[in-house]
Amino acid sequence: MLNYDFTILSPPEFEEFSRDIIQEHLEITFESFKDGKDGGIDFRYSINRENTILIQCKRYADYKSLKAELKKELKKVKKLIPERYILTTSVDLSVLQKEEILDLFEGFIKNTSDIIGKGDLNNYLSQYNYLERQYYKLWLSSTTIMNKIINSDVYNRSEFTEKEIKDDLSLYVQNESYEEALEVLKENNYIVISGIPGIGKSTLAKILIYKYLIDGYGLVEVSKDIDEADRLFVEGKEQVFYYDDFLGRVFLNKKLEKNEETRIMQFLRKVRRDSSKKLIMTTREYILQQAKVEYQEFERLKSCIIDLEKYSEMIKAKILYNHLFYSNVPQSYLTHLLENDNFLKIINHKNYNPRLIQYLTFDYDTYCDNEEKYFIDFLKMLDNPIELWKKPFENHISQVSRYFLYALLLFGRSVDTNKLKNGLENLIEVESEKYTIPYYRNAFNNSIVELNKSFIKVENDMVDFQNPSIQDFLINYIAKDKDLILSLINSVVYFQQLFNIFENGKRAWRMRFGKIFLDASVVKEIEDIIILRFDELEFLSEKSLRSKDILLLKLWTVASFFDIDENSDIKNLIISKLKSFDLSVTAQLNFSNFSRFMDLLDSVAEEVHIEDKKALVSQYINCWDSLDDIDDILGLEDTFPDEYAELEDEITSKVDSLIDDEIFFVDEEDLDELNELKDKIEDIENQLDIDLFFQKSEIEEKIELLEEEIEEEEEEETSVKWSINKKHIDTRTEIKSLFSSIKK
């Protein structure tokens, strides 16, 4: 038998659930009355004045609280004089408790079968499966399902505790995005969930993950790059892959890791061809749009955009309601939020955002210490979200903890605690030349305790920001503080710290959200550090890279940051390193690093002598692994024109082989993918001036067959229209009634 805990539903959700299940049980339709002159009625069925059925829904955790409320309710019922009065409650009632309620409402409640407690609701629900699935917050939170989620095959994720899952479910408001996302996943096996920061992308992703864990899928959370997912891909095993912020946390980097976009698309196609796999990726919408401009491969990604426009006024109201109801905001604070319908100003605010709502309810005391100012402070935070972090950053954490966050920012992503400690201590050493900073033996660990679960999160000795908005705030906060920026730069211990959040001001024309643009004098400071400490600065990597790979990555990063044609010292550094580069290792390079090497050679081609250019170009061609890299191959003609001409047959043969592979693996049921491959083949044919007639014909035949199938399916489809007759209730009145029901 089902045994759902209905307190996972908020009072309004419990009312809706009660209405739906009683309507199904009695086979009648109720009118809704939430407030007004007929106070005390949740739902009513009325043939005439003498034949009225009223339903009252009471969500309480225990009988004592329920009984106290029912005594107040009796006065209202006596005024209404219904023919039949039905009570639904989340409390699990005993026989004696039902008899006690029956005596209390003598004459109105006809028998104990009209007193519907937790056990009765579970009994009814077992008869109506569609309702069980409709209220998925219920079945996701059940003991059986919860155990299934917690004990699932989960790789690289530790926060799937019962409490955290129930917290997610309690606050989540069901909306169309869930069903929309499921449809995309059903059709394509993958989805990109995008939207503005804080809109609920990760929450939706987790709700979807819970669903697949229940269905028996194993979870792989991708925390580094798509290669991690590929390594853990198991043929025939049901797996759901989760890649949060797959295009970057705060900004689209100068570029993804070399050919990362190609590897993502290759993995995506692999998932699409395997019905046992699901891939869920999230990103901020503006970063996705940047990626589509920079990487043609991403133009046809199937996405589900969570847009505030999809959130009706009622959905936003319910989100605010749930956060207030499940938080510990005192009633005295709520009084000022509820008076004069102030909550409507929050719901309809231009900066309304679920994440801001969470901060201002669950962490209300961080931002407001005066009950009379709660609503005013709430509104101020929405007016200027940067103030959300400014006050706690400046006033609520220690000086060392502020430097802790600066140091973490330089790493650009999650970092090992030991490396972060090195970075922090170096920064404090630099700053201590000018300021007094109280750093002591346990200061680092104390800062972790102080910042954890507010500014940062710590898992398996890895530290990261609690959410990207903190990074946004810090970047804006220090952007004009040149003195602090110089201290940050001079404190670096690791190579990437110089480039994660900084951008050369001369390259401001590039779209770089979340970067700090540096003037020439600060860029010169970085240049001096690079020249002096290039070999000394350790390169951070989560992969086991050889020294030659690391050297190429470092040189390529430097070349991307500086304008080497105008910077002779940096150019000489690159020339010096390439001249001493052991060319015998190129045969062991993957295509990404080989491409970096060729890019660097191109920038200093006249200064670096290559003895056997033809062998080098031939090696490069042989490690080419995707048609998406055609531009890299075409670039050879400018850098190595003679060798390119000699190797044209080899290039043509490689192209033929790659096209055959693409045709073999293409999804023959995806018209977009087929057309994309056709366009790609035509582009290559024109760019390389080679005849690809047979390959084009093969892909065109597949397109023609699929178009015929689609046309037949469309002709066979029948349109079914469902009409639902519901009494119209003014939304604004319903929202006001919703908030009048808040009880702490």
Side-chain angles (χ1 to χ4, degrees):
M1 181 178 172
L2 300 178
N3 187 29
Y4 289 125
D5 177 6
F6 297 103
T7 59
I8 194 72
L9 302 175
S10 67
E13 290 169 338
F14 181 70
E15 287 179 8
E16 291 177 10
F17 167 74
S18 296
R19 177 201 62 201
D20 289 348
I21 204 159
I22 300 303
Q23 282 184 160
E24 188 71 38
H25 183 63
L26 297 180
E27 297 183 341
I28 57 177
T29 300
F30 287 97
E31 298 173 282
S32 297
F33 295 90
K34 298 210 173 176
D35 202 16
K37 64 180 182 179
D38 288 330
I41 305 173
D42 285 331
F43 305 106
R44 181 180 74 180
Y45 174 76
S46 179
I47 299 174
N48 52 50
R49 286 181 178 273
E50 288 73 36
N51 292 278
T52 301
I53 302 174
L54 300 185
I55 292 185
Q56 192 71 51
C57 311
K58 297 297 179 184
R59 176 206 175 277
Y60 284 94
D62 58 79
Y63 180 67
K64 182 180 179 181
S65 302
L66 172 65
K67 184 178 177 183
E69 179 62 23
L70 290 178
K71 287 179 179 178
K72 299 176 189 175
E73 205 67 36
L74 181 59
K75 297 176 184 178
K76 301 175 185 177
V77 176
K78 287 179 177 178
K79 291 180 181 178
L80 296 169
I81 317 177
E83 172 64 21
R84 182 180 179 186
Y85 185 76
I86 299 175
L87 171 69
T88 69
T89 178
S90 54
V91 176
D92 200 7
L93 300 172
S94 67
V95 173
L96 290 177
Q97 287 167 341
K98 282 195 174 188
E99 292 290 347
E100 192 172 2
I101 295 171
L102 183 65
D103 290 342
L104 182 65
F105 286 87
E106 185 180 2
F108 301 114
I109 297 181
K110 304 302 182 185
N111 52 62
T112 54
S113 63
D114 282 349
I115 303 170
I116 302 169
K118 174 185 173 184
D120 303 305
L121 289 172
N122 275 297
N123 183 29
Y124 292 160
L125 193 56
S126 65
Q127 303 172 40
Y128 312 121
N129 291 333
Y130 86 94
L131 280 179
E132 184 181 10
R133 287 288 162 174
Q134 180 178 322
Y135 287 91
Y136 49 83
K137 287 176 70 169
L138 282 178
W139 57 265
L140 278 173
S141 65
S142 72
T143 302
T144 303
I145 296 301
M146 192 67 67
N147 287 335
K148 195 168 184 178
I149 294 174
I150 294 170
N151 296 316
S152 294
D153 177 13
V154 176
Y155 174 82
N156 200 24
R157 196 170 183 91
S158 61
E159 65 263 35
F160 275 26
T161 65
E162 182 171 353
K163 180 183 182 304
E164 297 209 11
I165 294 169
K166 284 190 173 180
D167 286 347
D168 287 338
L169 294 173
S170 296
L171 297 178
Y172 187 65
V173 175
Q174 297 178 203
N175 61 77
E176 63 185 57
S177 296
Y178 176 79
E179 296 297 337
E180 180 184 334
L182 275 182
E183 282 301 311
V184 175
L185 280 163
K186 181 180 178 182
E187 183 179 347
N188 301 284
N189 290 338
Y190 82 92
I191 190 171
V192 176
I193 302 174
S194 67
I196 64 174
I199 192 66
K201 302 181 293 295
S202 297
T203 301
L204 174 59
K206 286 198 284 185
I207 298 295
L208 292 167
I209 287 169
Y210 299 154
K211 186 265 182 196
Y212 285 109
L213 290 179
I214 291 164
D215 291 344
Y217 283 69
L219 170 65
V220 175
E221 182 179 23
V222 182
S223 57
K224 300 171 186 174
D225 56 37
I226 202 66
D227 289 345
E228 182 181 359
D230 210 20
R231 288 195 302 273
L232 296 167
F233 187 102
V234 180
E235 293 287 348
K237 179 180 179 180
E238 290 186 325
Q239 292 175 292
V240 54
F241 298 88
Y242 177 39
Y243 198 170
D244 196 23
D245 289 310
F246 79 104
L247 292 174
R249 294 283 303 279
V250 180
F251 46 81
L252 180 64
N253 293 323
K254 294 175 183 176
K255 248 195 166 184
L256 295 172
E257 283 295 317
K258 189 72 175 180
N259 295 317
E260 170 77 351
E261 72 280 4
T262 299
R263 295 197 298 275
I264 289 173
M265 295 304 293
Q266 288 173 341
F267 183 77
L268 188 148
R269 292 187 183 104
K270 189 175 179 180
V271 166
R272 291 190 63 184
R273 290 190 290 269
D274 191 333
S275 60
S276 69
K277 302 293 184 289
K278 303 295 177 186
L279 172 61
I280 300 170
M281 301 185 288
T282 72
T283 184
R284 296 187 179 191
E285 178 60 18
Y286 71 80
I287 296 179
L288 180 60
Q289 295 310 316
Q290 290 177 56
K292 287 182 176 180
V293 170
E294 190 152 353
Y295 304 109
Q296 186 178 3
E297 294 89 339
F298 290 151
E299 286 183 0
R300 290 177 177 169
L301 284 176
K302 302 294 183 185
S303 63
C304 170
I305 300 174
I306 304 181
D307 193 333
L308 272 177
E309 290 183 3
K310 289 183 180 178
Y311 285 5
S312 66
E313 190 177 21
M314 178 53 73
I315 291 292
K316 289 193 282 186
K318 287 180 177 180
I319 291 172
L320 175 59
Y321 178 95
N322 280 0
H323 280 77
L324 290 170
F325 182 82
Y326 287 105
S327 70
N328 292 316
V329 179
Q331 189 67 45
S332 58
Y333 280 65
L334 288 178
T335 299
H336 297 281
L337 193 69
L338 298 175
E339 66 184 7
N340 301 320
D341 296 336
N342 284 334
F343 52 85
L344 291 173
K345 296 176 183 176
I346 295 172
I347 293 164
N348 295 298
H349 196 284
K350 62 183 178 66
N351 290 333
Y352 179 97
N353 181 290
R355 182 177 291 154
L356 295 180
I357 299 302
Q358 182 170 359
Y359 297 154
L360 293 164
T361 51
F362 281 82
D363 299 317
Y364 74 94
D365 50 350
T366 300
Y367 307 105
C368 180
D369 53 12
N370 185 318
E371 62 187 45
E372 293 182 1
K373 291 180 61 184
Y374 182 51
F375 169 67
I376 296 171
D377 286 345
F378 207 127
L379 218 54
K380 280 182 179 178
M381 294 299 181
L382 290 174
D383 289 337
N384 185 10
I386 195 171
E387 292 298 319
L388 192 69
W389 292 113
K390 189 172 187 289
K391 183 176 179 179
F393 179 78
E394 290 182 340
N395 302 323
H396 296 163
I397 61 175
S398 66
Q399 185 181 14
V400 171
S401 289
R402 290 197 289 275
Y403 279 103
F404 182 107
L405 294 173
Y406 293 145
L408 179 57
L409 182 67
L410 279 182
F411 285 93
R413 61 189 304 177
S414 62
V415 61
D416 172 84
T417 51
N418 291 326
K419 291 182 172 61
L420 179 57
K421 187 177 182 183
N422 289 340
L424 172 60
E425 291 178 349
N426 252 39
L427 174 58
I428 286 178
E429 184 179 346
V430 171
E431 281 283 272
S432 293
E433 295 176 6
K434 295 171 283 187
Y435 309 106
T436 301
I437 303 170
Y439 191 77
Y440 45 92
R441 182 178 296 276
N442 292 321
F444 180 81
N445 291 333
N446 289 344
S447 283
I448 286 183
V449 172
E450 180 180 17
L451 298 171
N452 195 23
K453 297 186 178 178
S454 56
F455 283 88
I456 65 170
K457 55 185 176 183
V458 184
E459 290 183 16
N460 302 321
D461 290 325
M462 298 294 287
V463 182
D464 201 352
F465 286 108
Q466 183 70 19
N467 62 71
S469 72
I470 304 168
Q471 292 166 279
D472 288 339
F473 161 72
L474 287 171
I475 284 171
N476 285 293
Y477 189 81
I478 69 176
K480 295 180 181 178
D481 190 340
K482 186 173 180 178
D483 181 64
L484 177 57
I485 289 171
L486 287 170
S487 290
L488 290 169
I489 289 170
N490 283 292
S491 74
V492 299
V493 186
Y494 304 98
F495 179 82
Q496 291 98 318
Q497 287 179 290
L498 289 168
F499 305 102
N500 285 326
I501 64 168
F502 299 122
E503 180 63 89
N504 190 335
K506 280 192 172 182
R507 304 197 165 197
W509 51 269
R510 300 191 296 189
M511 287 195 301
R512 295 289 176 259
F513 291 91
K515 286 281 194 175
I516 297 174
F517 290 97
L518 306 177
D519 64 31
S521 65
V522 183
V523 171
K524 181 66 170 65
E525 195 80 21
I526 293 181
E527 177 190 332
D528 291 342
I529 292 171
I530 289 294
I531 299 298
L532 187 66
R533 302 173 58 197
F534 181 85
D535 294 323
E536 169 197 333
L537 288 171
E538 181 183 345
F539 187 87
L540 291 174
S541 175
E542 288 132 349
K543 302 176 184 177
S544 298
L545 295 177
R546 298 165 303 167
S547 59
K548 297 298 181 184
D549 294 310
I550 290 172
L551 175 61
L552 290 176
L553 284 165
K554 290 173 77 170
L555 289 174
W556 187 74
T557 301
V558 168
S560 300
F561 184 84
F562 295 96
D563 188 340
I564 62 174
D565 289 330
E566 296 181 8
N567 193 310
S568 58
D569 289 338
I570 291 294
K571 188 170 186 177
N572 288 335
L573 172 70
I574 293 172
I575 292 169
S576 170
K577 296 297 181 183
L578 289 180
K579 280 183 175 180
S580 61
F581 190 80
D582 182 3
L583 289 177
S584 66
V585 305
T586 53
Q588 303 165 25
L589 295 176
N590 60 32
F591 185 76
S592 296
N593 279 336
F594 212 142
S595 293
R596 292 188 178 101
F597 177 63
M598 300 300 270
D599 286 346
L600 290 165
L601 275 183
D602 185 38
S603 65
V604 293
E606 296 180 5
E607 291 84 356
V608 178
H609 175 69
I610 303 295
E611 192 166 323
D612 192 348
K613 294 181 180 178
K614 183 177 178 181
L616 180 68
V617 173
S618 179
Q619 279 184 353
Y620 186 41
I621 293 168
N622 285 329
C623 77
W624 186 24
D625 59 6
S626 170
L627 293 177
D628 296 318
D629 303 317
I630 184 67
D631 290 337
D632 291 305
I633 298 298
L634 290 172
L636 290 172
E637 192 169 9
D638 296 326
T639 312
F640 303 100
D642 296 336
E643 291 73 22
Y644 184 90
E646 290 182 58
L647 294 167
E648 277 193 298
D649 288 344
E650 190 173 328
I651 292 171
T652 300
S653 175
K654 186 68 176 182
V655 168
D656 284 339
S657 173
L658 288 172
I659 290 176
D660 289 343
D661 288 343
E662 291 264 5
I663 291 175
F664 180 78
F665 288 110
V666 72
D667 186 347
E668 297 185 13
E669 295 183 358
D670 188 314
L671 192 58
D672 284 343
E673 193 170 319
L674 289 168
N675 279 312
E676 182 182 347
L677 181 55
K678 177 190 171 187
D679 293 343
K680 197 181 292 184
I681 293 171
E682 289 175 346
D683 287 342
I684 291 172
E685 187 177 47
N686 294 330
Q687 289 174 304
L688 296 180
D689 194 24
I690 57 177
D691 184 6
L692 299 173
F693 172 78
F694 293 106
Q695 290 93 330
K696 280 197 304 182
S697 297
E698 185 175 354
I699 203 72
E700 285 169 353
E701 183 178 339
K702 293 178 185 292
I703 290 171
E704 187 177 344
L705 287 171
L706 182 57
E707 286 177 336
E708 289 175 0
E709 289 178 15
I710 291 172
E711 188 176 343
E712 288 175 5
E713 288 175 3
E714 288 176 349
E715 289 175 358
E716 292 173 0
E717 283 181 358
T718 57
S719 175
V720 179
K721 295 182 180 180
W722 297 88
S723 61
I724 302 173
N725 184 19
K726 290 186 177 180
K727 185 176 180 66
H728 174 72
I729 302 173
D730 178 70
T731 301
R732 187 61 56 87
T733 302
E734 192 174 358
I735 290 173
K736 290 180 181 179
S737 176
L738 174 70
F739 281 88
S740 71
S741 67
I742 289 185
K743 293 176 182 177
K744 303 305 286 183

